[in-house]
Amino acid sequence: MAFNTFLRRCSSLSETKISSLFTNSCKVTATIRQDSVYNVENVSRLNIFLRKDCKQGNITVDEARYFFSVMIHMQPKPPISSFNRLFGALAKKKFYEDIILLYKRLDSMGLMPDLITLNILINCFCNMGRVRDGFVVFWRILRGGFNPDAVTFTSLIKGLCLENRSLEAMELFKKMAVFGVRPDIVCYGSIIDSLCKDGLIDEAKELFLEMKSRGMKPNVVVCTSLICGWCFVGNLEEAESLFVEMGDQGLQPNVVTFTTMINGLCKEGKMEEANGLLELMSQRGLQPDVVTYTTMISELCKEGEMEEANRLLELMSQRGLQPDVVTYTAMRSGLCKEGRIEEANGLVELMSQRGLQACSL
């Protein structure tokens, strides 16, 4: 319903209003060079820039602006695919505002974009938290006679998810079939992650099973999202089941996966199992991070296991990890509960020396 309503609103937009989207889209202080000239040296450098540097991501914003200026002053002008290559390289480096500014110049010169150009624009807007503007470009795709593809929908769905609009993302997800587009693993992963963060685990599991039924093998990111979701709602059994299934499928859980499972086990008071996962991480060559250790330390302090908590704190330091405010606050709280006030005050002083502000207990 929301998606259909949005399309109806978009249909009332005039070309002038759509153009103004790019005219007022951003402010970039640096100016684009206007003194580029068409010569053999510039053309040679441009070819290297487009075919090698852009492909490898070895570019700067200043270089992109310079070669863009070279391109728009060439006669005849390069094909839109050349501009897409430049925009794509900038997008990988997250220079979204610069892309929109350069596109405005391109648009004002009457150079027609293709689907790839417009997909890049949608990606820029959605990553900037401007999914509404992304949908305006989506309407331009339809008005231009292009067929939106999986990239188009995935960008919009990710944009909606970033704005915590998972139900609207689900609605758009279902509309993909209307356009004859099948979602890919990235699209599934984005919406599953968003649903899990919103506590809509049943809906996320349904999509997970649908994805598998379509022959798509779940990746670590998708599995980790579901494990996080199940741990969040306290369904440790489902989380443990999927964690084991990952191993059976040859998927290597990452630090986030392990930390999530450890957190879930700690909340259930299963400290022995949590410690076993901590050791398993090291055996698999994964370095537990501050969040992993702090999760364990916090629960140990609640249980009064201060010696074990202190052992982990020392282990953190040995591995070059700097405890944060949450770590120290947990330790301080545990020490205070045991009446070890002098040690607790020592931690406060240590925090102060390290520039950390102690939290009130």
Side-chain angles (χ1 to χ4, degrees):
M1 181 65 70
F3 177 70
N4 290 333
T5 301
F6 187 87
L7 281 184
R8 285 196 295 271
R9 289 177 182 173
C10 283
S11 66
S12 64
L13 287 173
S14 66
E15 287 298 328
T16 302
K17 289 183 179 178
I18 292 176
S19 295
S20 69
L21 172 67
F22 306 107
T23 303
N24 302 313
S25 60
C26 58
K27 295 179 180 179
V28 179
T29 54
T31 58
I32 302 173
R33 289 187 55 173
Q34 299 295 321
D35 59 349
S36 301
V37 293
Y38 178 76
N39 56 48
V40 174
E41 182 183 358
N42 272 342
V43 172
S44 176
R45 290 173 59 198
L46 174 63
N47 286 333
I48 295 173
F49 176 76
L50 292 175
R51 295 178 183 178
K52 181 181 178 181
D53 297 336
C54 286
K55 185 177 181 180
Q56 296 177 351
N58 298 326
I59 69 169
T60 66
V61 173
D62 288 339
E63 287 174 331
R65 290 173 182 160
Y66 172 78
F67 285 111
F68 178 86
S69 187
V70 170
M71 291 164 72
I72 63 175
H73 285 85
M74 290 173 64
Q75 292 297 335
K77 291 180 175 55
I80 192 65
S81 59
S82 295
F83 291 96
N84 290 343
R85 191 170 295 182
L86 185 151
F87 292 161
L90 285 173
K92 288 180 180 179
K93 286 184 166 289
K94 302 182 179 181
F95 294 128
Y96 305 125
E97 290 191 351
D98 296 276
I99 293 171
I100 295 170
L101 178 66
L102 295 178
Y103 176 80
K104 183 187 74 172
R105 290 289 308 282
L106 198 66
D107 195 49
S108 68
M109 298 181 67
L111 292 176
M112 297 300 295
D114 61 11
L115 179 61
I116 296 175
T117 322
L118 298 175
N119 276 345
I120 292 172
L121 278 175
I122 289 176
N123 179 59
C124 291
F125 282 127
C126 289
N127 279 298
M128 292 168 65
R130 296 171 56 183
V131 69
R132 185 182 184 281
D133 293 336
F135 273 108
V136 174
V137 181
F138 176 77
W139 179 249
R140 190 166 190 171
I141 287 175
L142 300 181
R143 288 282 298 271
F146 300 111
N147 293 318
D149 59 13
V151 176
T152 315
F153 285 101
T154 298
S155 294
L156 290 168
I157 286 171
K158 287 177 67 177
L160 288 168
C161 291
L162 287 173
E163 294 185 6
N164 300 315
R165 297 160 64 181
S166 56
L167 293 179
E168 292 174 72
M170 270 289 289
E171 187 177 351
L172 179 58
F173 181 85
K174 293 174 181 177
K175 293 288 183 183
M176 292 177 70
V178 176
F179 292 89
V181 179
R182 292 190 56 156
D184 57 16
I185 186 69
V186 177
C187 191
Y188 271 107
S190 296
I191 197 164
I192 286 173
D193 181 64
S194 182
L195 289 168
C196 287
K197 287 177 179 176
D198 287 344
L200 302 172
I201 310 303
D202 290 339
E203 291 82 352
K205 182 179 180 180
E206 184 180 338
L207 281 183
F208 179 73
L209 295 175
E210 176 187 305
M211 182 183 71
K212 292 174 68 176
S213 70
R214 290 187 171 182
M216 296 184 192
K217 184 179 178 181
N219 57 25
V220 174
V221 175
V222 174
C223 292
T224 299
S225 294
L226 270 172
I227 289 172
C228 287
W230 275 317
C231 287
F232 177 74
V233 298
N235 193 338
L236 192 59
E237 184 177 343
E238 288 272 24
E240 289 181 304
S241 176
L242 183 54
F243 186 83
V244 172
E245 184 182 330
M246 288 179 68
D248 294 339
Q249 296 296 321
L251 295 175
Q252 171 73 10
N254 58 25
V255 173
V256 177
T257 321
F258 272 103
T259 300
T260 302
M261 281 301 307
I262 288 171
N263 184 51
L265 290 167
C266 286
K267 286 181 177 178
E268 295 291 322
K270 299 182 177 181
M271 297 306 298
E272 186 175 344
E273 292 179 48
N275 193 58
L277 283 185
L278 190 66
E279 293 179 2
L280 182 60
M281 287 182 71
S282 298
Q283 291 173 10
R284 294 190 176 182
L286 293 174
Q287 173 71 19
D289 59 16
V290 173
V291 177
T292 314
Y293 281 112
T294 299
T295 298
M296 290 282 294
I297 289 171
S298 296
E299 192 59 35
L300 287 168
C301 290
K302 289 177 184 177
E303 298 294 325
E305 300 286 343
M306 295 309 300
E307 298 308 315
E308 179 64 14
N310 192 59
R311 183 187 73 81
L312 290 181
L313 188 66
E314 292 178 354
L315 186 58
M316 286 180 69
S317 299
Q318 291 172 9
R319 294 187 172 179
L321 296 173
Q322 176 69 45
D324 60 15
V325 173
V326 179
T327 319
Y328 281 123
T329 300
M331 286 292 298
R332 180 184 167 211
S333 177
L335 290 169
C336 287
K337 285 180 182 178
E338 292 200 346
R340 298 160 66 175
I341 307 301
E342 186 175 344
E343 292 178 67
N345 289 336
L347 276 182
V348 174
E349 184 177 342
L350 179 60
M351 290 174 69
S352 179
Q353 292 173 359
R354 294 185 174 180
L356 299 174
Q357 181 67 44
C359 301
S360 59
L361 298 177

